[in-house]
Amino acid sequence: MATKLDKVDVVVVGVGWAGGIISAEMAKAGKNVVALERGEHRERSDYIGQKDELKYDSRYEIMQPLSSDTVTSRSELDETALPIRTREQMQLGFDVGGASVHWAGATYRYWPYDFEMRSKTIERYGEDKIPEDMNLQDWGITYEEMEPYYDKWEKMAGISGEQDPLAPKRKNEWPNPPLKETPALKLFKDATSNLGLHPFQIAAGNMSQNYTNPDGQTLNACMYCSFCTRHGCDFSAKSDPLATVVPTALEHDNFELRTRAYVRRVLYDGGNKQATGVMYVDEETGEEFEQPADVVVLSAFAFTNNRLLMLSGIGEQYDPETRKGIIGRNFNGQYNSAFHGARGYFKNKRFNLYMGAGALGAAVNDYAADNFDHSDLDFIGGGAIELRQYGDAAIKSNYIVPSDTPRWGKKFKENSLFYAYRGLHIWYTSTVMSYWHNYLDLDPNYTDEFGDPLLRATYKFGDNERNIGKFGVEKCREIMEEMGADIVEEDALPEEFDHVYAGGHYTGGVVMGDDPETSAVNNYLQMWDVDNLFVVGGSAFPQFGSHHPTPTIGALAYRAAEGIEKYMNEGGQLAKAKTKSHKA
Amino acid sequence: MVDKDQNKGHTEEPENASRRDFLKKSGYAAGGVAGGLVLGGLFGQFDTAEEGANSDQVEQLQNARTFFKRREDFETLAYASERIYPEDENGPGAIKLGVPYFIDKQLAGYYGYNAKTYMKGPFQPQKSGEYGLQTKLNRGEVFLHGLRKMQEVSQKDFGSKFAELEGEQQDEILRKFEANEIKLKGVQSSIFFELLRQTTIEGVYSDPVYGGNKDMQGWKMIEYPGPRMGWANEIDAEEFLSKEPMSLKEYQGGNL
Ligand SMILES: Cc1cc2nc3c(=O)[nH]c(=O)nc-3n(C[C@H](O)[C@H](O)[C@H](O)COP(=O)(O)OP(=O)(O)OC[C@H]3O[C@@H](n4cnc5c(N)ncnc54)[C@H](O)[C@@H]3O)c2cc1C
Ligand code: SF4
């Protein structure tokens, strides 16, 4: 039997950006908060002296071990899904800070178009532009409404950037100036300028200078140490929860962080439509606990957010056969349809590519969102074209070779030694749409260490993913040619989803909107059905916007925190449901 | 330690002359690991003949098989990894870089025993590749199955041990595994090959603490400098900067 604990005001499940922000805001507001995190407590000293490519980049040491649970995957409705067993193929955040510690830091706001993709597409191109099988939806919030939350997140995180010439004019400057420019970035900027495009330095969650955020947390200038993405920062120079919102929350006695606490259920009173708390297991003793709370916040990343609702029987499970139900619907994310482009190899030039930082890079947004005319194109949406300089170590550098290189043996060795630091890759961070046939539910065959079903993902590309991919590759080739590479190669586009969950951009399933028939949460991320349950994170994305997701997750978390306070003061639903204005 | 002065660029032979001569004479450097050399002798020579009782000895004491029980399995592994990353005029190959010991150590730890891998059934090993690793076998077992099958194919096709074949013959066998033309129990031969290839490359280029990349020679060949506090002062440099590598041990501040 579970031990019942004393009731608190707010219980938060999972402590990455989303859970960290809610924790900090609720703690500052004087609420009694307990945050439950399945992994261990982490601090900066865990990352000192850890610049080790094998451990972190090849073995994914910072990611969730999959020995207990993973996600199962399939493409077709009549297939048996298989569990994704290794961390090469399933990368999930773990420990305090979650994936928000090992993210790279590339920071973009979504565009006004991204939030109103359905309305604005119809407005400009007519309803016929939207394919039958696509569940294209507005977010129930506009860019204008999101702007103050973006601003708040960027200041808390200390983002280093410059105004993107095509983006809406910023009300406030980025809190820090952009990172340094390297020869590779300059080459990209010059080439794209020559082509009439509008390059800028990517905004970065790596500090360009020492910075103190509005909560009083201090971050240090980035060292360009190269062990950044997939690693924790040992200099507190990366915008991450461990350097910001977690210490802010911990400054308050009314906040408690419990680690190795694996949440298995939301306790739900179906009669009153109220969440009454959560049930979790202490992973160090195996003991079960019930933590009652007035407000329950799920911020355990898209997959767990979906799974916990399903395991707890909250909301109606989406069924693709009938196309009814909400939870698990509009599962999306950037998998292997995105991040293709062109590679260039420079025979007479070597770049210092072993140096870098997670978000060091340059981009153009001429082909993002609806910044270009789609009238004659066979897709909607867009993305940035980026050149990134992460800082590659030796194993990674060794694989950067022209495609006619054999995969092993003498010639492989020769080419990999010659081409190291001579290869640049630019890619398109393209939109991903949602379709009626892509969804999440509970797997009928595979279970976790407690015998609970794993989450099952059913996912395949739509035509939009294939067509936008082709477009992106062509544009990237033009740029790479202008950059003057001796060998220019287009990336091969995949036929189908490859069941690799790398890069952490997995979203949807508990989506936001203004219509309870097509969304699970309102624009405060409060569940339509359950007033005191907030589901925060990328799970709220109805489809994937033009860019990396995290700033939007952070901004939505600030929005949700405001909503939780409002709910605690006033009660009830915070947003009005609108009757549906479009087909379900 | 060896080669402080011997590694000026990746085109330079990072071995001293007498050892190079030894290799040539023994048929090692030419045409792969050809003809008749037994591994014990080979490793024995490499480990002791020339370096003698210097600081390297500590490292040597750390190089013994702990995962592979049968010497023959280890021998097959060593010669196979050498074909994947061979010695050439740029520098040493997998064997001299310690790659077989690197793989042995990896397989003896959590990675080899799949401790952080989801291992519940039912299993559909034939779906490996399409869905990543789907075997009931852990990585260590995959290696044992694969290496023993390589031996078997070698005897059947060429009438002798894998280790004693000509380089080209060894490649022929490896290519069959790569193309999944060989049947193994519980795992596709191409999955085994990919693991072999991946871990070989990792052994060449990961920090020496894991048992490969001997004396950072892998890094020297590819001009990778290893971990540093950071590159804030050099990040915008116009020219390529070739630096002497630093190991994780040195980066962490040496001994306690
Ligand atoms: C290699 C990599 C690079 C990336 N780079 C970028 C980038 O440059 N730009 C960008 O925008 N995005 C990037 N991302 C994506 C980014 O990491 C995520 O969008 C972001 O971290 C999500 O934050 P979150 O708070 O929703 O989830 P997380 O930070 O993952 O936090 C979720 C937490 O919940 C915990 N949890 C899960 N289940 C339970 C449970 N049952 N009980 C208790 N706790 C639980 C987890 O352990 C975890 O700590 C990257 C991702 C990866 C993998
Ligand atoms: S590159 Fe900068 S932000 Fe990234 S880990 Fe290194 S010091 Fe930290």
Side-chain angles (χ1 to χ4, degrees):
Chain A
M1 265 307 283
T3 307
K4 197 160 179 171
L5 302 167
D6 293 338
K7 190 170 177 180
V8 295
D9 296 330
V10 183
V11 65
V12 177
V13 181
V15 187
W17 270 137
I21 288 166
I22 305 282
S23 295
E25 291 304 289
M26 292 302 105
K28 278 156 55 182
K31 309 293 179 199
N32 269 320
V33 189
V34 167
L36 303 171
E37 164 56 48
R38 72 179 291 191
E40 285 175 39
H41 198 95
R42 289 279 172 240
E43 49 191 50
R44 179 176 164 187
S45 59
D46 285 304
Y47 304 113
I48 295 177
Q50 296 295 298
K51 299 191 186 304
D52 179 342
E53 183 185 25
L54 184 76
K55 183 172 173 182
Y56 291 96
D57 299 292
S58 304
R59 300 284 178 265
Y60 304 94
E61 182 56 24
I62 206 167
M63 313 282 179
Q64 183 202 305
L66 302 174
S67 35
S68 161
D69 57 279
T70 180
V71 173
T72 72
S73 187
R74 63 177 184 172
S75 287
E76 301 294 339
L77 299 178
D78 57 1
E79 274 179 306
T80 303
L82 291 180
I84 303 307
R85 296 179 181 277
T86 71
R87 294 194 285 191
E88 276 106 335
Q89 308 224 292
M90 177 58 70
Q91 293 160 23
L92 298 170
F94 196 61
D95 295 331
V96 173
S100 312
V101 168
H102 68 246
W103 76 311
T107 298
Y108 297 82
R109 294 178 175 186
Y110 279 173
W111 298 79
Y113 172 79
D114 286 321
F115 292 106
E116 297 169 87
M117 212 181 246
R118 182 177 182 86
S119 318
K120 285 182 186 286
T121 300
I122 292 173
E123 199 179 293
R124 186 165 174 188
Y125 307 105
E127 191 149 4
D128 289 349
K129 189 78 180 169
I130 303 168
E132 202 72 65
D133 57 353
M134 195 186 280
N135 284 350
L136 190 66
Q137 295 180 195
D138 293 351
W139 293 50
I141 198 163
T142 63
Y143 175 82
E144 272 303 303
E145 291 169 304
M146 283 292 284
E147 203 281 336
Y149 306 107
Y150 273 130
D151 189 63
K152 195 159 184 188
W153 182 81
E154 289 157 3
K155 287 188 175 129
M156 177 275 295
I159 304 299
S160 309
E162 63 184 13
Q163 170 80 43
D164 164 3
L166 298 179
K169 177 104 189 74
R170 295 181 59 83
K171 293 203 177 114
N172 298 300
E173 302 258 302
W174 292 99
N176 285 305
L179 294 177
K180 293 186 187 180
E181 189 179 76
T182 66
L185 301 192
K186 182 159 190 317
L187 188 61
F188 175 88
K189 290 180 188 174
D190 290 347
T192 47
S193 287
N194 293 344
L195 293 170
L197 306 173
H198 300 81
F200 61 96
Q201 185 95 5
I202 294 175
N206 320 103
M207 300 306 111
S208 55
Q209 58 189 12
N210 294 346
Y211 177 71
T212 302
N213 81 5
D215 292 321
Q217 305 300 336
T218 305
L219 292 112
N220 301 311
C222 170
M223 305 284 286
Y224 301 87
C225 80
S226 306
F227 291 84
C228 195
T229 186
R230 288 182 295 276
H231 298 254
C233 180
D234 50 344
F235 301 106
S236 293
K238 196 200 282 191
S239 313
D240 70 29
L242 298 184
T244 57
V245 286
V246 170
T248 298
L250 285 168
E251 281 166 10
H252 297 267
D253 292 338
N254 48 323
F255 172 78
E256 189 195 340
L257 175 58
R258 281 182 216 145
T259 52
R260 304 300 307 275
Y262 180 54
V263 177
R264 294 182 52 206
R265 292 289 185 283
V266 177
L267 303 171
Y268 179 56
D269 173 355
N272 292 312
K273 298 215 159 205
Q274 286 282 304
T276 56
V278 300
M279 187 272 274
Y280 70 93
V281 176
D282 181 331
E283 291 269 37
E284 286 174 335
T285 62
E287 271 177 285
E288 281 184 11
F289 293 94
E290 278 185 29
Q291 178 60 65
D294 287 332
V295 173
V296 174
V297 181
L298 300 185
S299 49
F301 196 68
F303 286 152
T304 301
N305 286 357
N306 275 276
R307 182 167 177 247
L308 281 176
L309 293 177
M310 293 170 189
L311 286 173
S312 313
I314 301 174
E316 190 188 345
Q317 167 69 51
Y318 174 71
D319 178 353
E321 305 292 347
T322 61
R323 307 201 188 175
K324 293 224 161 63
I326 292 296
I327 309 301
R329 183 178 176 276
N330 275 38
F331 167 55
N332 59 81
Q334 284 181 314
Y335 307 97
N336 61 322
S337 71
F339 293 95
H340 297 291
R343 287 161 210 261
Y345 299 91
F346 297 77
K347 292 203 165 141
N348 300 313
K349 215 181 289 182
R350 284 198 291 171
F351 304 92
N352 288 310
L353 298 178
Y354 60 81
M355 305 176 185
L360 181 61
V364 293
N365 269 331
D366 299 76
Y367 307 113
D370 202 29
N371 296 348
F372 54 118
D373 185 5
H374 290 69
S375 301
D376 298 325
L377 296 172
D378 50 5
F379 64 88
I380 48 179
I385 292 177
E386 295 187 331
L387 173 69
R388 302 278 290 274
Q389 188 170 339
Y390 291 98
D392 294 340
I395 299 171
K396 164 112 187 268
S397 298
N398 140 92
Y399 285 118
I400 298 172
V401 285
S403 60
D404 59 358
T405 304
R407 299 178 68 242
W408 51 280
K410 190 168 169 25
K411 186 73 191 167
F412 170 76
K413 178 177 177 183
E414 230 172 82
N415 276 9
S416 65
L417 294 179
F418 178 76
Y419 284 106
Y421 321 113
R422 294 177 198 272
L424 299 179
H425 188 196
I426 57 179
W427 60 41
Y428 192 40
T429 69
S430 46
T431 310
V432 179
M433 298 303 174
S434 294
Y435 301 88
W436 69 268
H437 49 73
N438 292 343
Y439 74 111
L440 297 168
D441 66 353
L442 293 176
D443 189 273
N445 301 312
Y446 294 94
T447 57
D448 70 5
E449 62 182 307
F450 301 101
D452 287 332
L454 299 185
L455 188 71
R456 173 172 70 177
T458 304
Y459 183 86
K460 62 180 180 181
F461 298 163
D463 290 338
N464 208 75
E465 283 61 53
R466 295 200 177 81
N467 298 340
I468 200 172
K470 250 179 93 200
F471 175 85
V473 160
E474 281 162 24
K475 295 296 170 200
C476 288
R477 178 179 34 77
E478 286 167 19
I479 295 171
M480 192 52 88
E481 279 165 0
E482 183 66 24
M483 285 167 72
D486 297 295
I487 304 172
V488 176
E489 291 188 340
E490 292 188 356
D491 284 336
L493 286 165
E495 281 294 303
E496 205 27 281
F497 176 47
D498 59 0
H499 306 285
V500 175
Y501 296 79
H505 300 183
Y506 338 129
T507 43
V510 194
V511 310
M512 61 192 289
D514 57 15
D515 179 354
E517 295 210 2
T518 53
S519 60
V521 294
N522 64 28
N523 65 18
Y524 284 97
L525 307 193
Q526 178 187 33
M527 277 202 76
W528 288 116
D529 300 350
V530 190
D531 292 347
N532 71 336
L533 180 53
F534 289 75
V535 187
V536 186
S539 49
F541 291 17
Q543 55 270 331
F544 205 92
S546 297
H547 303 290
H548 307 261
T550 306
T552 304
I553 293 173
L556 285 173
Y558 276 111
R559 166 91 181 167
E562 194 183 296
I564 294 165
E565 255 200 279
K566 222 168 136 184
Y567 167 79
M568 292 181 89
N569 293 332
E570 300 162 17
Q573 272 291 316
L574 302 168
K576 264 222 167 65
K578 294 212 175 106
T579 44
K580 59 181 169 164
S581 54
H582 54 263
K583 59 189 173 180
Chain B
M1 299 287 279
V2 281
D3 39 66
K4 269 243 147 50
D5 49 348
Q6 294 159 2
N7 276 281
K8 306 212 172 67
H10 73 269
T11 51
E12 227 171 303
E13 177 76 72
E15 283 300 312
N16 66 40
S18 62
R19 182 188 287 185
R20 196 160 58 224
D21 286 346
F22 160 74
L23 289 169
K24 290 234 166 84
K25 277 184 214 125
S26 65
Y28 174 80
V33 193
L37 258 190
V38 280
L39 189 73
L42 190 63
F43 281 161
Q45 291 283 1
F46 285 175
D47 287 351
T48 56
E50 290 162 71
E51 275 143 27
N54 58 20
S55 62
D56 237 25
Q57 211 161 40
V58 178
E59 196 181 314
Q60 289 161 34
L61 294 180
Q62 290 171 343
N63 277 350
R65 304 189 309 273
T66 64
F67 174 78
F68 288 102
K69 302 184 184 76
R70 297 187 198 167
R71 185 187 188 93
E72 189 182 274
D73 295 334
F74 190 62
E75 241 175 48
T76 307
L77 170 69
Y79 286 86
S81 67
E82 180 71 21
R83 293 309 296 173
I84 288 168
Y85 198 88
E87 163 137 354
D88 67 0
E89 58 281 4
N90 294 303
I95 290 179
K96 268 202 272 169
L97 289 165
V99 168
Y101 289 112
F102 166 86
I103 295 176
D104 180 86
K105 287 175 168 57
Q106 287 292 305
L107 297 181
Y110 86 84
Y111 181 70
Y113 288 95
N114 289 20
K116 299 186 182 186
T117 301
Y118 184 76
M119 291 303 282
K120 280 192 172 187
F123 291 92
Q124 297 201 40
Q126 73 285 2
K127 293 263 176 84
S128 291
E130 201 188 332
Y131 289 87
L133 209 59
Q134 289 294 337
T135 59
K136 183 162 193 312
L137 304 170
N138 64 35
R139 293 183 185 85
E141 292 168 321
V142 169
F143 265 90
L144 288 173
H145 276 47
L147 293 171
R148 288 184 188 159
K149 188 58 118 188
M150 279 173 63
Q151 227 16 324
E152 209 182 295
V153 173
S154 174
Q155 287 293 352
K156 197 167 126 275
D157 289 4
F158 301 107
S160 65
K161 288 168 73 170
F162 184 84
E164 290 166 6
L165 299 182
E166 294 292 332
E168 261 313 306
Q169 297 172 320
Q170 292 171 333
D171 287 357
E172 209 177 303
I173 294 176
L174 287 169
R175 276 194 293 267
K176 283 188 182 167
F177 278 78
E178 184 181 25
N180 199 24
E181 286 165 13
I182 306 288
K183 281 245 156 340
L184 293 178
K185 190 176 170 193
V187 60
Q188 291 120 307
S189 55
S190 54
I191 295 293
F192 158 67
F193 179 84
E194 282 312 315
L195 268 177
L196 173 67
R197 170 175 165 272
Q198 177 203 324
T199 48
T200 297
I201 300 295
E202 286 168 355
V204 172
Y205 291 120
S206 57
D207 191 274
V209 70
Y210 293 106
N213 188 13
K214 188 166 191 289
D215 298 329
M216 300 190 282
Q217 292 183 79
W219 286 356
K220 286 173 186 166
M221 280 188 283
I222 204 165
E223 289 177 84
Y224 175 64
R228 290 299 148 84
M229 287 275 276
W231 303 102
N233 297 324
E234 290 103 334
I235 186 77
D236 44 11
E238 287 295 331
E239 294 304 313
F240 182 77
L241 303 176
S242 190
K243 306 253 182 189
E244 275 296 304
M246 181 190 279
S247 68
L248 193 60
K249 175 159 183 156
E250 194 181 345
Y251 177 70
Q252 288 179 353
N255 293 325
L256 271 182

